[in-house]
Amino acid sequence: MPSLGEIVAPRRLGRDFRWLLASSWTSNIGDGIALSAAPLLIASMTTSPLLVAAGAMMQFLPWLLFGLFAGSVADHHDRRRMVMIANASRAVVVAGLVAFLVTGHATVWIVLATAFLYGTAEVFADSAGSTLLPMLVRPGDLGIGNARLQAGYLVANQLGGPPLGAFLFAIGSFWPFLVQILCVAMAVVLISRIARTPVPDHGDVEPGAKPHPIREGLRWLRHNAPVRTLVVIILVFNITWAAPWGILVLYATEHLGMGAVGYGALTTASALGGLVGIASFGWLEKHISFATLMRVCLTLEVLMHLAFALTTHAVVAFVIMFGFGAYAFVWSTISTTVRQRLVPLPLQGRISSVNMVGIFAGLVIGQFLGGLIAQTWGLTAPWWFAFGGSAVTLIVMWRSIAHIAAAKPVLADDQDVKEP
């Protein structure tokens, strides 16, 4: 019978993968703590909905501003060292906030500025961090590797971290952020144990002969139909997903009559479903093709929107949310794995950053549309919008999904990127 360590991080994935996994899980604990503590801190300082919303906006604004640049930096520097520097910067930024809290000089503007700086450093950490797995494991092990990283995100960031953050905040406003500093600092130490990662080889090209790094990445994406289509699917489905999710708290409390506790339980149901999905990923990957899994996940997304639009029962909502968590994290693992297999190592940072910019742009657009739709036609209207939009997108992209899953990592003839 295999040991717990072998189940969590199979030996075939190597020692460096275990250090990467430990670093990711530790960092996610700190991020999960801040996920609940930061809004609580802002809410304790102001009653302005605009300022409270601004705190949430700091999570995605840095991606829209610096995402493409961060991806370019990751493709031209030591990625392991970049993650270490970015995470160390996050720890320093939070340490500054703790100093303001301890001395009693913290204001809501200082908290928002801290959130923005922290989010900016996180963009660089995530851009480089997302490229490490393909450098450490074989292509055939990317699926199980991503599943293990996703499991850490679910347990630490979504399940364990937030209640711990709320508990620590109740003890004292600075305690959750002090623990967050320790977690991020420990993540730096853990990832430093990984063997040095080489700077991606971009070939021997005369200076000035190649386009700007960001344009080079966008050019590669434009000529690679499978990855380009995958990015478009993720963008559109994030718009349709974010439209109702932006008003989920109102839908849960007013339409379903669940109350604040029920709303929190909904998000927990999603995380629990995600654990089931991630735990079953190894079996799914062995027995079902990626094309089929992708189609099933996106079909379930369409049906979930329809079910939420129709139901008026809290129990049904919990079941739907549990199912959403299960298939959503399977989809996330598959889409990440497919992208990493198809993108050459020298371009991993830039293409990953384009994907992340698309995700956050979709969230911004979707939340804006969802608010307008709900204001005009009621709290279930965004779900109908999401159902229609995702259904049309799935019909249009149905045949392309098979091409995405079956694509091989071959560069276009007219591109100059050289694989290491």
Side-chain angles (χ1 to χ4, degrees):
M1 182 177 179
S3 65
L4 178 61
E6 180 65 18
I7 294 173
V8 173
R11 190 173 287 105
R12 72 176 188 276
L13 300 184
R15 182 183 67 90
D16 285 343
F17 170 77
R18 294 192 174 192
W19 289 121
L20 173 64
L21 188 67
S23 175
S24 174
W25 285 20
T26 304
S27 177
N28 270 303
I29 293 174
D31 290 342
I33 288 171
L35 194 64
S36 62
L40 288 171
L41 179 61
I42 296 174
S44 71
M45 295 179 169
T46 179
T47 58
S48 168
L50 182 61
L51 290 177
V52 173
M57 187 177 68
M58 294 303 114
Q59 299 176 27
F60 51 74
L61 182 60
W63 272 107
L64 299 182
L65 295 176
F66 309 116
L68 296 181
F69 174 69
S72 177
V73 173
D75 282 341
H76 291 83
H77 295 84
D78 185 325
R79 290 157 170 173
R80 180 193 66 121
R81 183 179 300 171
M82 182 173 166
V83 174
M84 293 169 60
I85 293 173
N87 276 334
S89 300
R90 292 203 294 167
V92 170
V93 168
V94 180
L97 174 62
V98 169
F100 279 111
L101 290 171
V102 171
T103 58
H105 292 93
T107 67
V108 67
W109 299 107
I110 289 175
V111 176
L112 291 177
T114 300
F116 178 78
L117 293 174
Y118 185 89
T120 300
E122 191 171 31
V123 168
F124 286 86
D126 288 351
S127 294
S130 66
T131 69
L132 291 177
L133 184 63
M135 303 179 75
L136 302 179
V137 304
R138 297 171 300 179
D141 289 325
L142 283 172
I144 197 66
N146 278 308
R148 295 299 181 265
L149 291 171
Q150 287 277 8
Y153 170 79
L154 270 171
V155 174
N157 192 291
Q158 300 292 297
L159 287 176
L164 178 58
F167 170 76
L168 292 171
F169 187 83
I171 299 175
S173 61
F174 67 91
W175 279 109
F177 303 103
L178 185 60
V179 175
Q180 183 187 17
I181 294 171
L182 295 176
C183 290
V184 176
M186 180 59 68
V188 174
V189 174
L190 291 169
I191 207 165
S192 70
R193 303 290 295 171
I194 295 176
R196 290 182 178 272
T197 53
V199 177
D201 183 5
H202 294 268
D204 300 323
V205 182
E206 292 296 326
K210 297 186 73 174
H212 187 277
I214 294 178
R215 289 198 297 270
E216 180 186 24
L218 294 175
R219 178 169 172 257
W220 184 93
L221 182 63
R222 187 173 66 250
H223 288 284
N224 190 286
V227 180
R228 184 183 68 240
T229 304
L230 183 61
V231 170
V232 171
I233 290 175
I234 290 172
L235 169 64
V236 175
F237 268 79
N238 268 280
I239 292 175
T240 57
W241 174 83
W245 243 248
I247 53 96
L248 181 63
V249 61
L250 297 177
Y251 172 86
T253 56
E254 297 181 15
H255 180 71
L256 298 178
M258 300 175 66
V261 175
Y263 166 67
L266 267 184
T267 59
T268 302
S270 172
L272 292 174
L275 286 178
V276 173
I278 294 303
S280 2
F281 185 81
W283 185 91
L284 293 172
E285 185 180 29
K286 290 179 181 178
H287 295 87
I288 305 175
S289 71
F290 269 13
T292 299
L293 285 173
M294 293 170 79
R295 284 171 170 163
V296 168
C297 288
L298 295 181
T299 300
L300 289 173
E301 175 91 352
V302 174
L303 296 177
M304 180 206 68
H305 293 313
L306 176 61
F308 267 125
L310 294 173
T311 189
T312 57
H313 300 287
V315 174
V316 176
F318 280 118
V319 174
I320 299 170
M321 191 64 80
F322 183 88
F324 163 74
Y327 75 74
F329 280 93
V330 171
W331 162 263
S332 178
T333 301
I334 292 174
S335 62
T336 301
T337 300
V338 168
R339 188 186 71 248
Q340 288 174 341
R341 287 177 179 174
L342 295 180
V343 177
L345 283 177
L347 286 166
Q348 287 277 351
R350 279 165 286 182
I351 304 305
S352 175
S353 69
V354 171
N355 183 72
M356 291 300 296
V357 169
I359 288 174
F360 284 101
L363 294 178
V364 173
I365 297 170
Q367 288 175 349
F368 176 73
L369 290 175
L372 287 180
I373 293 170
Q375 184 73 27
T376 306
W377 291 290
L379 294 177
T380 60
W383 294 108
W384 287 109
F385 164 78
F387 166 66
S390 59
V392 170
T393 304
L394 180 58
I395 292 171
V396 172
M397 299 294 185
W398 187 266
R399 295 184 62 184
S400 300
I401 291 173
H403 298 299
I404 294 172
K408 302 297 181 183
V410 178
L411 292 175
D413 293 336
D414 61 341
Q415 293 172 344
D416 302 319
V417 179
K418 175 184 176 183
E419 280 209 68

